[in-house]
Amino acid sequence: MLHLKIQETIQLMEAVEDNRKTANNHKAIAQKNTIFFNSINVFSKNVESYFVAREVGFDLTEDEEITQNMKDIIGCIKTAFAIQAANDARSFEEKVQKFNRSISNCWISFFHRKYDELLRGLVIAKTIHSTPMIVEKIISSIKKCEKWPLTSKNADALRDGEEKGLLLLREMELDEDIKVFLEKVSASTATIRDVTPEIFQWIIKEKLDDKIALTMKE
């Protein structure tokens, strides 16, 4: 009788252990799946942003490392769905994080190359424009896409801001010499020598002669 009870107890203990292992296995699989699908979500946002960014001239084909990283991620996704298991979830997560950092940095570099000169001109224009808030809104529209990821709404604002900004600068006739002069005025470093005949004519034309002031240096 005692022997049977011991045997039943051992079987019960083995069953409990099997259930524990099964539960742990299910937990491990659930954790892998969570990591995998969270990473897919991040990757999807990057891909969506990339297609939005292409509409304003952003092209990843110039960066072989990033494009190869994208291909590797897509390959991992296809494999996982084919075998219905996310066995290398952590490795996949690292690939996605690396891709996210790379494409973010790549976009920021592109943004500054393409829009810094325009933004510089608009910042200068704001100081002399009759309605500075108009210029500020244009600047704000462009800067909506300064950081990654992008949205279609922000990209539309960027294109609208770029168009309005370029038009405004053309209307104000802010060439490079005038921009440099106004920057010096803002920094209180402009001198009489900086007021060339062309700049003087522009000041009179824009009716800024009572707004621009030079200071005496000691």
Side-chain angles (χ1 to χ4, degrees):
M1 192 72 173
L2 180 61
H3 174 70
L4 291 175
K5 286 188 174 292
I6 293 173
Q7 190 174 17
E8 289 175 359
T9 302
I10 291 173
Q11 289 174 346
L12 179 61
M13 291 172 63
E14 290 175 345
V16 170
E17 179 62 17
D18 288 341
N19 288 336
R20 186 187 67 79
K21 289 180 179 179
T22 299
N24 286 342
N25 287 337
H26 287 165
K27 183 178 179 181
I29 291 172
Q31 288 176 337
K32 288 181 180 180
N33 287 340
T34 298
I35 293 170
F36 180 73
F37 285 106
N38 284 345
S39 297
I40 283 183
N41 185 47
V42 173
F43 180 66
S44 296
K45 288 181 179 179
N46 279 321
V47 173
E48 290 171 5
S49 292
Y50 172 57
F51 284 117
V52 170
R54 285 186 64 178
E55 297 177 6
V56 295
F58 184 55
D59 189 0
L60 276 182
T61 57
E62 299 175 2
D63 195 311
E64 294 182 4
E65 183 178 353
I66 296 181
T67 52
Q68 185 58 50
N69 196 359
M70 180 187 283
K71 291 177 182 177
D72 290 344
I73 291 171
I74 294 172
C76 290
I77 293 173
K78 288 181 177 179
T79 299
F81 279 102
I83 65 175
Q84 297 185 350
N87 293 329
D88 299 320
R90 287 295 181 189
S91 175
F92 179 72
E93 181 184 42
E94 290 174 2
K95 286 179 182 292
V96 171
Q97 289 176 346
K98 178 182 177 182
F99 177 75
N100 184 51
R101 289 191 299 269
S102 297
I103 195 171
S104 176
N105 291 335
C106 194
W107 164 258
I108 290 171
S109 295
F110 168 84
F111 179 90
H112 288 298
R113 286 197 309 272
K114 185 170 183 180
Y115 299 106
D116 272 6
E117 183 61 26
L118 173 58
L119 288 170
R120 171 177 167 252
L122 290 171
V123 169
I124 295 169
K126 181 182 172 183
T127 63
I128 59 172
H129 198 275
S130 58
T131 313
M133 186 56 66
I134 291 176
V135 187
E136 180 57 38
K137 286 182 178 179
I138 294 173
I139 293 172
S140 178
S141 294
I142 295 172
K143 285 190 172 184
K144 284 182 183 297
C145 285
E146 188 173 8
K147 301 297 182 181
W148 189 266
L150 314 183
T151 66
S152 294
K153 183 178 180 180
N154 287 348
D156 288 342
L158 168 64
R159 286 193 292 269
D160 182 63
E162 179 182 16
E163 182 179 345
K164 289 179 177 177
L166 291 171
L167 177 61
L168 183 144
L169 294 182
R170 281 198 299 271
E171 290 176 345
M172 294 184 71
E173 299 180 359
L174 294 181
D175 63 22
E176 190 59 31
D177 289 339
I178 293 173
K179 289 178 185 177
V180 171
F181 170 72
L182 291 175
E183 285 178 334
K184 288 184 177 181
V185 171
S186 296
S188 298
T189 58
T191 67
I192 294 296
R193 293 177 183 175
D194 294 311
V195 185
T196 63
E198 293 77 15
I199 290 177
F200 181 76
Q201 289 177 7
W202 176 83
I203 291 173
I204 298 300
K205 177 177 175 292
E206 296 296 324
K207 299 178 181 179
L208 297 172
D209 48 308
D210 60 343
K211 294 182 180 180
I212 295 176
L214 305 180
T215 59
M216 293 289 292
K217 291 183 178 181
E218 294 182 2

